[in-house]
Amino acid sequence: MENSGVLLVISAPSGAGKLTLLNEVRARKVDQIVTTVSATTRPPRTGEQEGIDYYFLERSVFEARRDRGEFVEWAEVHGNLYGTLNDELDRCLDTGKDVILELDVQGMQNLRRQRDDVVSIFLMPPSLEELERRLRSRGTDDNEVIELRLKNARHEIAERHAFDYIVVNDKIESAASDMEAIIRAERCRAERQP
Ligand code: 5GP
């Protein structure tokens, strides 16, 4: 295992700024990080591309592949199925780079049952008030959707101690530095050394 990268799972309530943070970390560590592409039954949003943002699957196809054991983990999130294909994870691990998976809390727990080398990070919004402000300032969702996301966020935040690390996304630069520090420390773990 000494030549392999760190297997990192990041989970965050929607509005916590996960995408912005990951983009910042990727920019700082270009060529050192790969991100798995998940499969989902959710329809593509405008601008999303097959094989880049997600592998978009019909529900029947997803379920058939799941039943054949092709997923290392899967979960139902907001009524849609999401999962990581074994082949996709292997492809990323084979690069020898650090591998990041963006999963919900159940996905992190399912993956941890399969593998003992998972390092998990929960990304916290600075406060629920700030999360609400960010969700409303997007201006794309109606009140009902925002209320649902806030309710889900409270549930997810209550589970944060199931993770190895908690990073607070107050300022993007310091949150990205925290993530880099976690990756560096994990790479130095004694059991990873020859
Ligand atoms: P969205 O539909 O906004 O792209 O993603 C919704 C949720 O699905 C996010 O919380 C995200 O972390 C989760 N998700 C995305 N891909 C996967 C996956 O492969 N497995 C699991 N368990 N959750 C995922």
Side-chain angles (χ1 to χ4, degrees), residues 92-132:
C92 291
L93 290 171
D94 285 349
T95 63
K97 298 177 182 177
D98 299 322
V99 177
I100 300 188
L101 294 92
E102 302 166 43
L103 307 179
D104 76 322
V105 179
Q106 311 161 72
M108 182 280 286
Q109 288 168 327
N110 290 339
L111 186 67
R112 211 186 238 164
R113 274 182 217 112
Q114 308 293 320
R115 307 185 56 108
D116 57 12
D117 56 350
V118 173
V119 178
S120 57
I121 301 177
F122 187 82
L123 184 67
M124 277 283 286
S127 65
L128 275 174
E129 292 72 32
E130 174 61 14
L131 186 74
E132 181 166 358

Side-chain angles (χ1 to χ4, degrees), residues 18 38 42 45 54 73 75 77 82-84 102-104 107:
K18 184 172 59 179
S38 298
R42 163 169 85 57
R45 296 187 185 125
Y54 279 106
E73 67 75 34
V77 185
Y82 293 83
T84 311
E102 302 166 43
L103 307 179
D104 76 322

